């Protein structure tokens, strides 16, 4: 997944920004945050809790769409819809010290050259003004983990709670505004049922840092929620790899060869993720695969032969068992 195992740091101000985003809008936003990480390398943030200067201005960002299609789908139209929506979203920033108010679309100049697999767009410097505003603290999270989460609400809560060490409270109206649902869930019970509980369950199911929450009341009315962080043992690299979707490992060209030409199902591809990761890291991956597939076609061999041939080409030890022997004969 674009960027691999990588810690992301962003301002707390951005984490609690009031905006309602779809899952793919949220993932595009995270790629924008990732772009700014180079500026933070080697910086000890605990000693720099202030607004950091930067030289970003109308930055062009480009990345393969497959990096945010981490659920195994090929619904590129959803990415197109998310980018179109972000173009219409108003992003406001006010600097009380300089007496400046600024308003802009979140992204602009989006371009997706069909069949290239690459999407690009421009981000205004005002976004980075907020991204680098650490005067109220910062959030830190794992890039790979956050891109694998299944809902935008889970993403927001993960970013907010991952590095929290103490309970944090928000009043209910603020929370509803933060998630952009104040006009959708008039009843607090519905907000908890549709937003908070599903997000907590998604984090628990993913095995990452999560939270519990308590309701604070004024009389019979729930006025605020207090979230308490739940720390879990970090996943091993093998466990993290197991959560990756094949679409985030292989390029569209390689995936098409394996599925369309060779007949691999998604389930069969998922059974060999370690192998695909090694293949994807090889600069000659397409040539290697083309040669093996052509050889398999000529020898009338099938999928088991292709898997073992790739292992042999990449120097991956083969586990010999009855099913392997049977596959090699196919």
């Amino acid at each position: 997944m674009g960027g691999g195992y990588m810690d992301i740091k962003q301002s707390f101000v951005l984490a609690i920004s009031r905006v309602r985003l779809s899952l793919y809008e949220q993932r595009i936003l995270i790629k924008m945050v990732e772009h700014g990480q180079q500026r933070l390398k080697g910086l000890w943030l605990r000693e720099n809790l202030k607004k950091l200067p930067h030289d970003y201005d109308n930055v062009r960002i480009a990345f393969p769409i497959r990096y945010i299609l981490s659920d195994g789908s090929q619904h590129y139209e959803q990415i197109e819809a998310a980018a179109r929506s972000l173009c219409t979203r108003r992003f406001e920033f006010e600097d009380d010290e300089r007496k400046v108010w600024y308003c802009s679309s979140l992204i602009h100049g989006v371009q997706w050259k069909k069949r290239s697999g690459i999407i690009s767009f421009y981000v205004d410097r005002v976004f980075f003004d907020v991204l680098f505003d650490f005067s109220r603290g910062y959030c830190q999270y794992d890039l790979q983990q956050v891109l694998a989460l299944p809902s935008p609400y889970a993403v927001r809560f993960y970013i907010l709670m991952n590095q929290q060490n103490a309970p944090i409270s928000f009043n209910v109206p603020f929370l509803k505004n933060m998630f952009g649902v104040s006009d959708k869930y008039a009843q607090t019970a519905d907000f908890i049922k549709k937003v908070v509980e599903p997000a907590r369950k998604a984090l628990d199911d993913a095995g990452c840092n999560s939270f519990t929450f308590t309701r604070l009341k004024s009389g019979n009315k729930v006025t605020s929620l207090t979230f308490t962080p739940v720390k879990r043992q970090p996943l091993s690299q093998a466990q993290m790899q197991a959560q990756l979707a094949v679409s985030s490992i292989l390029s569209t060209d390689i995936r098409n060869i394996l599925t369309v030409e060779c007949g691999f199902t998604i389930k069969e591809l998922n059974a060999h993720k370690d192998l695909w990761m090694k293949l994807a890291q090889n600069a000659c991956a397409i040539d290697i695969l083309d040669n093996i597939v052509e050889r398999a076609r000529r020898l009338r061999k099938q999928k088991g032969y292709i898997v073992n041939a790739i292992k042999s080409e990449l120097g991956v030890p083969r586990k010999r068992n009855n099913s392997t022997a049977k596959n090699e004969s196919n």
Side-chain angles (χ1 to χ4, degrees), residues 256-270:
N256 285 342
I257 292 173
L258 291 169
T259 56
V260 178
E261 295 187 31
C262 304
F264 282 89
T265 65
I266 294 298
K267 183 177 181 180
E268 289 170 333
L269 291 178
N270 282 333

Side-chain angles (χ1 to χ4, degrees), residues 1 23-24 27 64-80 112 147-150 243-252 255-256 259 266 269-270:
M1 186 172 296
L23 178 61
Y24 289 119
R27 289 178 177 176
I65 290 178
R66 65 186 177 89
Y67 284 170
I68 53 177
L69 276 175
S70 59
D71 50 10
S73 73
Q74 296 187 39
H75 297 302
Y76 296 108
E77 71 280 359
Q78 295 182 14
I79 306 300
E80 185 176 336
W112 171 30
L147 289 176
L149 292 172
Q243 291 187 355
L244 279 175
V246 170
S247 63
S248 66
I249 299 172
L250 296 175
S251 68
T252 300
R255 200 164 64 249
N256 285 342
T259 56
I266 294 298
L269 291 178
N270 282 333

